[in-house]
Amino acid sequence: MAASDTSKFKVAASGVIPFAFVIVLMLYIFGPGGDLLDFGIALPEITIEKVDFIDSEIQATVRNTGSIPVQVVVADVNDRIQPAAVEPDGYLERYETTLVRIPFEWNEAEPYRIGITIDDGTRFEKEIESAAFALEFTLDLAIFFAIIGTYVGIIPVMIGLLWLPFIKKISKQKYHFFLALTAGLLLFLAIDSIEESIEVSNENLANSFNGALLVSTVVVLSFLALYYVGNKIISKSDSLHFSKPVAIGLMISIGIGLHNFGEGLAIGAAVGIGSIAFSTFLIVGFALHNTTEGIAIAAPMSRGKLMIGKLAIMGLIAGSPAIFGAWIGGFAYSPFTSVVFLAIGAGAIFQVILVLLKWIQKENDGNLSTLSVVSGFAIGMLVMYFTSIFV
């Protein structure tokens, strides 16, 4: 017994000792050894994360994203210095934020350049393409966002689910085609989510957040988490009283829902900054694009018993997050949150694609290289691309 305890202690010590040395090294570098490594000049960096336009005032949220403290001293609009109030104060440690309030008679729909100068004379700027009043929560506006989310999320998905009776009656080979088509649709959505998240990161997040690495990390973690949960759901589908096709359909719904939440965030934010006009043509474009998501849910469920209730619930799971995303994006938009949720959606969809490919492989005697599978995958990508042109 004593020998066993000694062995366990040695194992634990061998795992802890390297970490202890790392901690000692870090303490030395940031302590006595700091002077030895103190060379070069640390440059300041601030990020103007958000600009709100209210009555006769422009409000800029500023974050210190550099490695040294800074002091906000001057604000300007279109290169003209303006009086400004800084709340709570202009001194910012790393990652601290402050609100710069600039009294200014601005005009709606005009472009503006908001500049912030810090104590060493360095000026940072954010360009606003079209000024618009900052959104404030009202019941009418909340209803408006809910309607838009319904138009671009719930209704198109529900329409896509109407393909189910057709898919149920087709041959096995054509069924494999539709499963592969689903995988192609989802792959396009995942790539689209990653592209959007990187774009938001590049436009709104400071370099210190390492946007591309943030997106990559969240995508992988989301994939792993959903892969674990998905396998649990599918493996326990019998005990949960639904079939494996229904379990796969549920995972697809969750993945699409996470994607549509990020899409809703983008819509709400776009309305908030006045950069998007919701025309009939745009609504039709979203409807065409998102209708294919319903097909993605219907395809794996077509080989099971028709369950209208569960199908409707899955449609709501996939489509309704667009409403919640629009609310958050419109009333409490955060670029960092938007990047994270778009990346989560991408990771979730990659997990669903893996589940689908395994299902196709099982249904197709282990073969993924048949004409129906390859053509379905390719056509799925092409359909999503051409419908995305209208968005």
Side-chain angles (χ1 to χ4, degrees), residues 2 10 27 45 121 130 141 150 178 184 246 253 274 277 309 318 323 346 363 372:
K10 289 181 178 180
L27 291 174
E45 180 185 8
S130 177
L141 193 55
T150 302
F178 271 94
V246 173
S253 300
I323 298 175
E363 285 276 314
S372 59

Side-chain angles (χ1 to χ4, degrees), residues 52-59 100-106:
D52 290 324
F53 293 86
I54 61 176
D55 289 329
S56 303
E57 185 173 288
I58 300 174
Q59 297 183 352
V100 180
R101 303 179 61 179
I102 309 170
F104 189 83
E105 295 295 335
W106 56 275

Side-chain angles (χ1 to χ4, degrees), residues 92-343:
L92 299 176
E93 294 285 353
R94 189 175 192 186
Y95 292 125
E96 281 189 335
T97 61
T98 193
L99 180 66
V100 180
R101 303 179 61 179
I102 309 170
F104 189 83
E105 295 295 335
W106 56 275
N107 296 315
E108 196 168 2
E110 287 190 4
Y112 290 96
R113 296 190 311 277
I114 311 302
I116 301 294
T117 303
I118 59 176
D119 49 349
D120 71 345
T122 307
R123 180 180 178 274
F124 299 86
E125 180 182 278
K126 186 176 182 69
E127 185 171 354
I128 307 299
E129 295 180 357
S130 177
F133 278 99
L135 298 182
E136 295 182 0
F137 179 83
T138 64
L139 182 59
D140 288 343
L141 193 55
I143 292 173
F144 169 76
F145 278 129
I147 292 172
I148 294 300
T150 302
Y151 279 157
V152 304
I154 296 176
I155 293 177
V157 172
M158 292 298 186
I159 292 174
L161 291 175
L162 296 177
W163 283 77
L164 182 61
F166 168 76
I167 300 175
K168 284 181 72 71
K169 296 178 181 179
I170 59 179
S171 65
K172 185 176 181 180
Q173 187 177 13
K174 292 177 181 176
Y175 173 62
H176 294 158
F177 169 84
F178 271 94
L179 286 176
L181 178 78
T182 297
L185 300 175
L186 292 173
L187 180 60
F188 186 95
L189 286 178
I191 295 172
D192 181 57
S193 292
I194 292 175
E195 182 186 26
E196 284 187 48
S197 60
I198 291 176
E199 182 179 345
V200 173
S201 172
N202 290 339
E203 292 180 356
N204 298 281
L205 295 184
N207 293 333
S208 59
F209 283 100
N210 296 319
L213 292 177
L214 172 65
V215 172
S216 302
T217 301
V218 175
V219 167
V220 172
L221 292 179
S222 171
F223 171 83
L224 293 175
L226 269 294
Y227 181 76
Y228 174 80
V229 173
N231 280 347
K232 288 292 184 182
I233 291 176
I234 293 172
S235 63
K236 295 183 178 180
S237 58
D238 292 335
S239 61
L240 295 174
H241 305 294
F242 51 75
S243 63
K244 189 172 182 179
V246 173
I248 293 174
L250 176 61
M251 293 309 302
I252 292 175
S253 300
I254 293 172
I256 291 175
L258 290 170
H259 167 80
N260 283 339
F261 182 83
E263 195 172 78
L265 282 174
I267 291 171
V271 174
I273 62 176
S275 67
I276 189 168
F278 278 98
S279 63
T280 302
F281 182 77
L282 185 63
I283 296 299
V284 170
F286 271 117
L288 284 172
H289 187 63
N290 290 350
T291 296
T292 53
E293 296 174 354
I295 301 174
I297 300 170
M301 291 187 63
S302 62
R303 284 302 183 263
K305 182 181 178 181
L306 181 60
M307 293 168 284
I308 302 298
K310 288 184 178 179
L311 201 63
I313 291 172
M314 289 184 188
L316 289 174
I317 291 173
S320 60
I323 298 175
F324 298 101
W327 282 337
I328 295 173
F331 297 125
Y333 178 71
S334 165
F336 182 84
T337 303
S338 183
V339 169
V340 169
F341 273 104
L342 285 167

